[in-house]
Structures are given as C-alpha cells and as structure tokens.
Amino acid sequence: MRNFLRQAYYNYRGLFIWLPWPSYITTVVFGPAFTIIMFALVGRFALGPDVVRPYVLGLVAQYIPFIISASILQCFVLERRFAILSIVYSSRGNREVIFFSRQLFHIPNGFVVVAAGLFFSWLLLDLDFNQVNWIALVLTVLVISLSSCACAAFLGNFFIVFTDWILMYRTFAGVIIVLTGVIIPISSLPAPLAVFSQVLPLTHGLVAFRSTFDGAGVAAILPSLLQELIVGLGYTVLGLVGYHVSEIIAKRRGLVETAA
Amino acid sequence: MGNLYALSGAFLQQWRNVRRTASYANFIIAGIPNVIILAWIANKSDNPVAITYIAVGASLMLVWTNAVFRMGWALSDERWGGLLDVSLVSRTPVIVTMLGKSLALCIFSLLTGAGAFILILIVSEHAIPIVDLPLAIVSLAITLFVMICAGFIFCPITVLVGEPSGLFATVMPFGVACSGFLYPIGILPAALQVIARGLPTSWAMESVIMATTGSGSTWEIVIRWVIALALAVVYLFITQLLFRLVERRVRVTAALTTF
C-alpha cells in the first residue's frame, strides 16, 4: 500500500503539469466557470430560462471527465516524453499497482471542479440549492470521478500511438459533451449514437447528478450509479489489458524512450 | 519601410508554418463539438435574433479561441525556438515581428470560423437575412480587427506571467463569454457586464448584430465602431508597453532561449 501511495503521489506531482497553482486555478476553477456561464446564457437567450438549470448541472458534471481525462492523459504521455517509462518498464513492480496509482490523486480534482462550477453557478446564475440531497450528490461525484478515471486510464494506453495528449483529450472531451446528454438530450441523438452514449462515462451519472438537485436520495439514484460503475468497471478491465499490451508493443517496437 | 518588410516576412513565415502545423487539427477538433451544440440550440430556437447571434458568434468564437491561443504563445515559441535573441539584435522592434505572426494566425483562423458559420446555417435550417450588408461587412471587419488587438495583448502577458501551462483555459472562454459573441451583453451577470464593456469585441459584436438584424440606426452602429476602435488603440498601446517590459526583462535576466 505504501508503494502504491508513493507511486501515485510522485506520478501526480511530477507529471500533472497543471498542478502549479496558476495553472490549476485557470484550468480547474475559472475556465469551467466561464464555459458554464457561456452555454447557460446562450440557452437562456435562445430557448428560454427553463433550460438554464439542466444546462448548468450538465456542464458542471461534464467537467469531471474533462479535468480527470486531461490530467491522467498528460501523465501517461509525459511519462514517455520525459523518458521515465523505461524505468517503469525495467522495474519488477506490479503492473496493476502502477496502473491504478496513475489515477488515485486525480479523483479529488473531480470534487474541486464540481465545487468551483457550482459556486460560480450560484454566484452568477442564481442556481438554487434548496432541494439538493448533498450525500447523494457527493456519492454521485465520486462515482462519476471513478468511471472517468477508468476511462481516462484506458485511453492513456494509446500513448504509444498518439503522442499528442491534447489531441486525445480534445477528441474525448468533444465526444463527452455532445453524446452524454449534457445539452443535447440522448433521445435527440441518432439511434447508433444513443446506443454508444450508454457506454460513455457520465451518461448514467449525469442522470443521478441532476436528480440529486431535485432532492432524490441515494436509493433513488442507485440504479444510475450502478450503471455508471459498470461502465467504469468495463473501462478498468479494458485499461488493464491495454496497459499490458501497450508495454509489450512499446518494448518490441522500441517506443519506450522515443521523444514524443 | 524596413518595419513593413519585417512585418510581411514574419507574416509569411508564420503563414507557412501554420499551414504545416499538425497541431492545428487540435483547434478544429476542439471547435467542432461546441459548434454542434450551438447549431443544435439554434435549430431548436424560434428567436431569429438568437439564431443570428449563434451563427455569427460561433464563427467569431472559433476565430477568437484559435487566434488568441496561438498569439498568446507566439512570443514564448520564439524564446523556446531560440529566435528571440535574433529578434532583439535586429533593428526591428519585437512587436512588429510578433504582429506579423499574429496577423497570419488570425487570418488562418478565419478559415475555421467560416466553416463553423456554414455548418450552423446547415444544421439550424435557418437563413440569416442581412438588413444592411455594407454596414454588416464593415462591422465584421472591425470586429476582426479589434479581436486581433484584444488577443495580441496576451503575447507579452504570457511571457511576463511566467508562461503557466493552462493559462488559456481561462482566457479563451472568458473572451467568448464576455465579448457577447453568442448573446447580448445585457443578459450577462452585472459584474461581468462591467468587464465586458471594457472589451472592444463586445462593442464591435453589437454593431455586427445591429447591422445584420436592423435593430440599430446607422448612428448607433457608428458609435459602437468608434468605441471599439478607441478601446483597441488603448489595448495596442498597453501591448506596446508590455513588449518593452518583456524586452527589458529578458535583457536583464538573460532569459532569451532558456527557462
């Protein structure tokens, strides 16, 4: 356990390039806030005030996979770019421990970005918190964060193919915001895309996230949370397999220390 | 004349570079989801003014986000590429070289903006009737010009604040949210309205909408042009001061090609 925590800490400190406070504040606090304001006001102006609340809640929740995927993907890619991967691969360390340690300290970022988003939504958009079930909300954020971590770690395995983490992140972020019901309802999507949305992180969690603001308790949102967890579990299995496969490919093709 | 020569040279260099840059795909990929969402909102809306805002504003939003990010890092790129010392040794002020590069970046960004405009018109299934075409064209040109001026200021700022990674994650949505590209400034929260009025883009964008929808007289449009251009001049003046500060700092710290 100590080894796991130590690895998680050093990986987070060394490779999460948004960790210095000016970068952290701009990416985790103010950036999301302005994006939420922008889409909420477009919705209010074009479609009326009724859409503001679902839009705001959707946008706040979608920042969980946004931030977590960005931070985990950069850690995976930078590990190779900074030539640390050769040390990892030459070690006899448990690969499962290494894989999960890449995710641990990114989970709290999901809570920070939700707190910041909700604060600015309350301050500038008059978001109402009267009916919120806080326990259910915290649980929902945790579950979405876990599934987002699993999905991001799965995508991180593609570092041996895509050396540009920003491109990977933006593609993933674009899929999430369009296909998970953040603004465009899933019922409005073409059938194949609606099916695909069911295996994306956030889709099921978002239903629970919005319900907690209507006062829904843990029991009421449990089915959605379980679906979200199952999606996360699927990405975990795929991610672990992918981690082993990527190691084999990287060693065979000599991609370990290649500068990205 | 020499400065003009340097300006055109910097423009050409950046233009050739940006065409080759594979990372430009980043911006197209980053812009597509937002444009799809805005197009969907426009499709569901029965407010013609809102649809006009979204069609025009989404294009300008993409131009802004592409241009400001690249302009913001342009001076840092010089430093990282080991070219800043050459720029400082030459008799051309750094601001002239960087302006040439910024112009190239902005003009290239127009391509994505035009693509977004066409996509929104197709998806929203609405046409945009333009009430006063000449005024709309001039307003759009002024908007693009002041956008360059507003974005150019981040060129020296990025270096002066220590080039923090992720800086533009705030600057890009801030500029879109407060410039009134997608909605009237009047619906912003009061605190942000004050900030928005200090941006030349907000005044210029209002003139575009007034000319397009016919919601303002020629006099009202011209007033907005004047305010936008005056603010842009202020931004350029401040930018020039900041460039001098950068030059002084890099000469003192000798941080020309290293961190």
Side-chain angles (χ1 to χ4, degrees):
Chain A
M1 180 54 83
R2 184 181 292 176
N3 182 30
F4 172 70
L5 290 174
R6 189 179 292 163
Q7 281 200 50
Y9 175 72
Y10 285 131
N11 186 271
Y12 187 74
R13 278 293 302 269
L15 296 176
F16 181 31
I17 56 172
W18 291 346
L19 193 55
W21 70 265
S23 301
Y24 194 83
I25 288 175
T26 53
T27 51
V28 181
V29 179
F30 289 118
F34 284 117
T35 306
I36 291 164
I37 290 166
M38 181 189 82
F39 277 114
L41 293 182
V42 175
R44 181 190 288 175
F45 182 53
L47 302 174
D50 292 343
V51 303
V52 172
R53 186 179 148 102
Y55 280 15
V56 166
L57 296 179
L59 289 159
V60 170
Q62 61 101 29
Y63 262 101
I64 303 172
F66 264 38
I67 292 301
I68 287 177
S69 63
S71 52
I72 290 181
L73 283 175
Q74 63 183 258
C75 288
F76 269 86
V77 173
L78 295 180
E79 193 162 51
R80 181 177 168 221
R81 189 179 295 175
F82 296 162
I84 305 162
L85 197 60
S86 54
I87 300 166
V88 174
Y89 281 170
S90 61
S91 78
R92 288 184 297 171
N94 185 314
R95 296 301 187 254
E96 282 73 29
V97 169
I98 295 171
F99 180 74
F100 287 112
S101 71
R102 271 43 179 168
Q103 305 169 41
L104 183 68
F105 281 100
H106 298 280
I107 294 171
N109 289 335
F111 286 91
V112 175
V113 78
V114 167
L118 291 179
F119 171 74
F120 283 106
S121 302
W122 165 77
L123 187 70
L124 299 170
L125 299 168
D126 299 325
L127 183 67
D128 182 18
F129 287 88
N130 283 336
Q131 290 182 293
V132 179
N133 185 320
W134 290 101
I135 295 171
L137 178 64
V138 169
L139 189 64
T140 304
V141 174
L142 178 65
V143 170
I144 297 173
S145 299
L146 289 173
S147 68
S148 301
C149 278
C151 184
F154 162 70
L155 292 173
N157 289 323
F158 290 96
F159 69 93
I160 54 167
V161 184
F162 301 108
T163 51
D164 186 349
W165 71 268
I166 296 176
L167 187 62
M168 277 166 65
Y169 158 64
R170 284 182 167 159
T171 308
F172 173 71
V175 169
I176 291 291
I177 197 170
V178 174
L179 298 182
T180 56
V182 172
I183 287 179
I184 303 172
I186 291 170
S187 56
S188 299
L189 295 172
L193 292 179
V195 172
F196 179 59
S197 74
Q198 301 303 308
V199 297
L200 290 173
L202 185 68
T203 302
H204 305 288
L206 183 55
V207 176
F209 190 87
R210 284 186 173 132
S211 300
T212 61
F213 277 78
D214 295 325
V218 175
I221 60 169
L222 202 56
S224 298
L225 292 186
L226 283 174
Q227 287 174 314
E228 184 75 19
L229 277 174
I230 290 167
V231 170
L233 194 63
Y235 282 114
T236 302
V237 173
L238 288 173
L240 273 171
V241 173
Y243 196 67
H244 287 285
V245 172
S246 63
E247 181 175 349
I248 293 166
I249 295 173
K251 283 177 177 173
R252 276 188 188 163
R253 298 191 180 179
L255 298 170
V256 180
E257 289 187 12
T258 309
Chain B
M1 190 62 193
N3 284 346
L4 203 60
Y5 185 70
L7 184 86
S8 63
F11 179 93
L12 273 177
Q13 181 272 326
Q14 188 65 56
W15 181 260
R16 287 171 183 155
N17 188 44
V18 81
R19 278 193 313 176
R20 284 201 301 264
T21 308
S23 67
Y24 199 78
N26 274 337
F27 292 98
I28 296 171
I29 288 170
I32 287 171
N34 287 348
V35 172
I36 289 172
I37 287 169
L38 290 169
W40 184 85
I41 293 173
N43 179 265
K44 297 295 170 194
S45 176
D46 52 7
N47 178 350
V49 179
I51 295 166
T52 305
Y53 258 106
I54 290 172
V56 178
S59 322
L60 293 173
M61 176 184 81
L62 281 191
V63 176
W64 165 260
T65 50
N66 289 344
V68 76
F69 182 86
R70 289 178 157 264
M71 279 195 285
W73 288 110
L75 187 56
S76 299
D77 286 343
E78 287 285 289
R79 220 157 68 78
W80 295 336
L83 300 170
L84 188 57
D85 43 1
V86 183
S87 298
L88 289 181
V89 168
S90 81
R91 284 180 295 175
T92 308
V94 177
I95 190 171
V96 174
T97 320
M98 300 317 297
L99 186 62
K101 287 169 173 281
S102 298
L103 285 172
L105 292 168
C106 288
I107 292 171
F108 202 83
S109 301
L110 286 176
L111 299 175
T112 40
F117 183 73
I118 293 165
L119 183 69
I120 286 187
L121 289 187
I122 292 169
V123 175
S124 67
E125 298 168 358
H126 288 95
I128 305 292
I130 299 172
V131 173
D132 195 327
L133 187 61
L135 282 180
I137 290 171
V138 176
S139 300
L140 194 61
I142 288 174
T143 306
L144 293 170
F145 173 74
V146 300
M147 201 187 286
I148 293 169
C149 298
F152 192 42
I153 198 168
F154 289 101
C155 201
I157 283 177
T158 305
V159 174
L160 290 172
V161 299
E163 301 159 342
S165 177
L167 170 69
F168 288 90
T170 291
V171 172
M172 292 189 291
F174 164 80
V176 177
C178 293
S179 290
F181 288 146
L182 300 165
Y183 41 74
I185 294 299
I187 70 166
L188 274 170
L192 292 182
Q193 280 189 40
V194 177
I195 298 170
R197 286 302 175 200
L199 299 175
T201 41
S202 67
W203 296 96
M205 185 63 198
E206 275 187 349
S207 71
V208 172
I209 295 298
M210 283 179 171
T212 308
T213 61
S215 56
S217 65
T218 306
W219 180 239
E220 286 175 309
I221 293 169
V222 170
I223 285 177
R224 276 159 181 79
W225 290 351
V226 172
I227 296 172
L229 290 170
L231 281 171
V233 169
V234 172
Y235 274 67
L236 280 179
F237 178 72
I238 296 170
T239 305
Q240 193 209 10
L241 294 180
L242 292 174
F243 264 106
R244 285 186 184 177
L245 201 60
V246 168
E247 284 196 44
R248 190 177 302 168
R249 183 175 292 186
V250 296
R251 283 179 197 278
V252 170
T253 61
L256 289 165
T257 56
T258 55
F259 278 96

